[in-house]
Amino acid sequence: MRISESELEVMKLLWEKSPADLPELIERTKQRRDWDESTIKTLLRRLVGKGAIRRTGERRSYQYTPAISFREYRVDLLRHVAKSFFGSNLVEMFCFFVREEKLSAEELGELEAILKKGSENHD
Amino acid sequence: MRISESELEVMKLLWEKSPADLPELIERTKQRRDWDESTIKTLLRRLVGKGAIRRTGERRSYQYTPAISFREYRVDLLRHVAKSFFGSNLVEMFCFFVREEKLSAEELGELEAILKKGSENHD
DNA sequence: TTTTATAGATTACAGTTGTAGCTTACAATT
DNA sequence: AATTGTAAGCTACAACTGTAATCTATAAAA
C-alpha cells in the first residue's frame, strides 16, 4: 500500500492528532500547505480507499484515524531504505550515516550513550 | 530531480558499473527484472532527460554514466527521510533505528566502534 | 418551512510512471 | 549493392498523482 507525497501530508496531520474530522483537518492543513479544501477531501478519500486511514462515526461528521501508526510507517520506511540502498545491512547504513553526516562531538556522544543503553538489554 | 522506482533500477546498474552501453545494460537487467528491452530504453531516455545520467560517445554506441553518484544519492535520500520523518534530527533517527531494530550485541558493538572512530576526528 | 452552509461524492484533467510496441537510421554482413 | 540486426527515437496507454471544480444531501439557521 503505497502512500504518495501529498497523501503523506494528510497522514502526518493525523499522526500528530487523531481522530480528526474534516473541518479540523482543513484548518490544520492551512498552516502548512496552500491547498484547496477539495484537495484535502480527495486525499482523504484516496487514503480511505487505500486502507491507510479509517473512517468512523456518522455521515456529516466522520472521524478519521490512521490505520498504520507513525512508528510502523517509519520502521517500514527505514527498512525499505536499508534494503534498497544498503543491501539490508543496517550497520552499513549507520556507518554511512555517521561517516557522511559529520555529526558533532555532542551528537556522537549522544549516540554512544544510546548504544550503551541498547547493549544493556542484551546479555 | 525525482527518480522513480523503475528508473532507480537502471541507476543501480550504472552505479555498480559504468559507463555501460545499451546491450550491456539489457544483459545485466535480465538478471534481476523481467523487462522488455523497450522498457530499459524508455527508462534510459527518461533518465537522460531528467539529467540523472549522461550519454557520451557516438550514436549507435552511446555510453551511459550516472550524473549523480551513489554516495550523493544516498546522502540526499537519508537527509530527506530525516527531514521528512524525524524533524531533520539525525540523532533521533538513529535512536529510533537502534530502538526499533533490536540490533544484536555484535552489531551494537560495531556501531560503538564506528562512533568512537568518528569522535577521534573531532577535537 | 424555506434557505443556507457544507461534508462528502463525483468528475476532471494534466503530469508522471510502468510497461511496451512500432519506426528509422545506420553499421555490419552477405 | 542489397539485406539485416539493432541502437535510438517516437508513440501508446493504463494506473497513479497533484490539484481542484462541481454536484448532492442534509443539518442548522432563519
Side-chain angles (χ1 to χ4, degrees):
Chain A
M1 181 233 317
R2 170 125 208 87
I3 297 176
S4 81
E5 280 291 308
S6 294
E7 287 165 357
L8 258 177
E9 211 64 40
V10 175
M11 290 302 288
K12 284 181 185 173
L13 291 178
L14 290 174
W15 280 326
E16 280 166 19
K17 170 168 175 315
S18 76
D21 59 10
L22 184 61
E24 180 182 342
L25 291 172
I26 287 173
E27 188 46 39
R28 288 167 55 207
T29 299
K30 284 213 187 90
Q31 258 113 72
R32 23 183 112 171
R33 307 292 243 92
D34 186 25
W35 279 340
D36 190 280
E37 313 194 347
S38 271
T39 302
I40 303 166
K41 292 178 195 176
T42 299
L43 294 173
L44 276 174
R45 184 171 36 79
R46 287 182 184 165
L47 284 166
V48 170
K50 287 179 178 182
I53 66 187
R54 246 178 271 110
R55 224 177 47 172
T56 55
E58 292 302 300
R59 154 141 193 136
R60 197 94 180 143
S61 62
Y62 287 135
Q63 297 294 117
Y64 300 93
T65 325
I68 357 118
S69 72
F70 191 35
R71 203 193 110 274
E72 277 176 273
Y73 188 85
R74 294 203 293 188
V75 167
D76 289 353
L77 176 64
L78 286 184
R79 287 214 181 112
H80 174 75
V81 169
K83 174 167 180 191
S84 198
F85 294 97
F86 295 89
S88 286
N89 186 335
L90 303 181
V91 172
E92 211 217 296
M93 180 160 146
F94 263 105
C95 294
F96 179 82
F97 211 18
V98 172
R99 219 184 315 120
E100 296 298 334
E101 291 298 343
K102 312 194 198 334
L103 301 175
S104 71
E106 298 91 287
E107 289 174 312
L108 289 172
E110 278 186 66
L111 291 182
E112 278 190 71
I114 299 293
L115 288 179
K116 218 147 259 158
K117 245 193 286 179
S119 355
E120 282 161 22
N121 300 334
H122 284 274
D123 51 297
Chain B
M1 179 232 320
R2 171 122 208 92
I3 297 176
S4 79
E5 280 291 308
S6 293
E7 286 165 357
L8 258 177
E9 212 63 40
V10 174
M11 290 304 286
K12 284 181 186 173
L13 290 177
L14 289 175
W15 280 327
E16 280 166 20
K17 172 169 174 311
S18 77
D21 60 9
L22 185 62
E24 180 182 341
L25 291 172
I26 288 173
E27 187 48 38
R28 288 168 55 208
T29 299
K30 285 212 187 93
Q31 259 113 72
R32 26 183 111 173
R33 307 292 244 92
D34 186 26
W35 279 341
D36 190 279
E37 312 194 348
S38 272
T39 301
I40 302 166
K41 291 180 198 174
T42 298
L43 294 173
L44 277 174
R45 185 168 38 76
R46 287 181 185 167
L47 284 166
V48 170
K50 287 180 178 181
I53 66 187
R54 244 177 273 111
R55 221 177 48 172
T56 55
E58 293 301 300
R59 152 139 194 137
R60 196 91 183 144
S61 62
Y62 287 133
Q63 298 293 117
Y64 299 93
T65 325
I68 355 116
S69 71
F70 190 35
R71 203 193 112 275
E72 278 176 273
Y73 187 85
R74 295 203 294 187
V75 167
D76 289 352
L77 176 64
L78 286 185
R79 286 212 182 115
H80 173 76
V81 169
K83 174 166 180 192
S84 198
F85 294 96
F86 296 87
S88 286
N89 186 334
L90 303 180
V91 173
E92 210 217 298
M93 179 159 145
F94 263 103
C95 295
F96 180 83
F97 210 20
V98 172
R99 219 182 317 119
E100 296 299 334
E101 291 299 344
K102 311 193 197 340
L103 302 174
S104 70
E106 298 91 289
E107 289 173 313
L108 288 173
E110 279 185 65
L111 291 182
E112 277 190 70
I114 299 292
L115 287 179
K116 216 147 259 153
K117 244 193 286 179
S119 0
E120 280 160 23
N121 299 334
H122 285 271
D123 48 300

